[in-house]
Amino acid sequence: MIKRMVPVVFYHFYRDMDRKVSHALSLVGRSEWISVNIFTHHLANPFILKSIKKLGEIANSHEKIVLEWVERRGGDMENAIRTLLTIRDQYGFRIAIDDMGEGEDGMGRIAHVRPDFIKLSGKLIHQSRLDRKVLTTLNAISSMSDSLESEIIAEWVENEIDLQIARDVGAKYWQGWLDRTLDGNDH
């Protein structure tokens, strides 16, 4: 069975931080996931780090909080890795690597962080509908995630074909527009 992942995602977490930290904490008991998108350069920003630490100090269900490391050029990668690992060790937050299979630094981030979740690029999910080579690549990423004991999340699941692709590549969770058309059950 593959589970629908319906996270509460905080984009631009650093904007209006106190209100967002309070809102995130109010959802911890009601949502399976609280996902905070983090860019490499955020992990060097004292204001953002202070807010993440505040979330860690107040939250009582740290395993529900996922720091979703989004690929973006810029920032000191080595410092970001050290900072993220320190935050995980100190607060018990989980880590997801976003958009794996797309872009340029996913493998490096995975090698150093050993994430709890690897999010397959939605673009690749869609391309695999028509191109078996792309599906082979998704299967290779899934195999790697098994070796690392990371769980796969398939993004951009918009129809039953995408959901089947997610199942076929071993995704444990999925996200996407299909969510709006289903009955609320896992599939």
Side-chain angles (χ1 to χ4, degrees):
M1 181 189 305
I2 183 171
K3 292 183 177 182
R4 190 168 24 169
M5 182 181 183
V6 186
V8 176
V9 179
F10 289 93
Y11 301 97
H12 306 296
F13 192 67
Y14 52 91
R15 294 184 188 154
D16 195 14
M17 185 64 67
D18 288 335
R19 184 183 62 78
K20 288 182 180 174
V21 167
S22 295
H23 181 61
L25 292 171
S26 74
L27 296 170
V28 167
R30 295 183 287 153
S31 177
E32 189 171 350
W33 313 95
I34 305 296
S35 184
V36 178
N37 284 11
I38 300 292
F39 297 103
T40 301
H41 66 277
H42 289 165
L43 293 165
N45 182 314
F47 179 70
I48 293 172
L49 291 175
K50 178 181 174 188
S51 298
I52 291 170
K53 289 176 182 177
K54 181 176 181 181
L55 184 60
E57 290 165 357
I58 298 172
N60 60 1
S61 297
H62 296 117
E63 71 280 355
K64 286 187 165 195
I65 298 172
V66 179
L67 299 180
E68 190 171 315
W69 194 2
V70 180
E71 181 177 65
R72 173 112 5 126
R73 285 190 176 148
D76 180 345
M77 185 68 73
E78 288 181 28
N79 179 60
I81 290 166
R82 280 191 307 275
T83 302
L84 198 55
L85 292 175
T86 299
I87 291 169
R88 176 170 63 189
D89 291 346
Q90 188 169 4
Y91 298 110
F93 294 163
R94 301 200 299 175
I95 297 173
I97 300 296
D98 193 33
D99 292 329
M100 183 60 201
E102 186 178 325
E104 58 194 47
D105 73 353
M107 293 296 286
R109 291 180 296 152
I110 287 170
H112 295 290
V113 172
R114 300 286 187 140
D116 301 285
F117 303 101
I118 296 174
K119 296 182 75 174
L120 294 177
S121 162
K123 184 185 242 179
L124 290 182
I125 296 288
H126 288 188
Q127 290 173 350
S128 71
R129 295 173 185 163
L130 302 172
D131 189 340
R132 300 299 291 174
K133 291 181 279 187
V134 175
L135 189 57
T136 300
T137 301
L138 291 175
N139 279 313
I141 294 169
S142 182
S143 178
M144 176 191 63
S145 80
D146 287 344
S147 297
L148 296 171
E149 298 179 357
S150 300
E151 294 181 304
I152 291 287
I153 301 168
E155 296 182 305
W156 296 15
V157 174
E158 296 179 358
N159 55 45
E160 291 293 334
I161 294 169
D162 296 340
L163 186 59
Q164 188 58 51
I165 290 167
R167 282 187 193 106
D168 291 348
V169 300
K172 302 281 190 257
Y173 303 96
W174 62 273
Q175 296 174 301
W177 283 101
L178 180 63
D179 183 44
R180 302 197 192 295
T181 64
L182 294 177
D183 56 12
N185 296 320
D186 297 329
H187 292 270

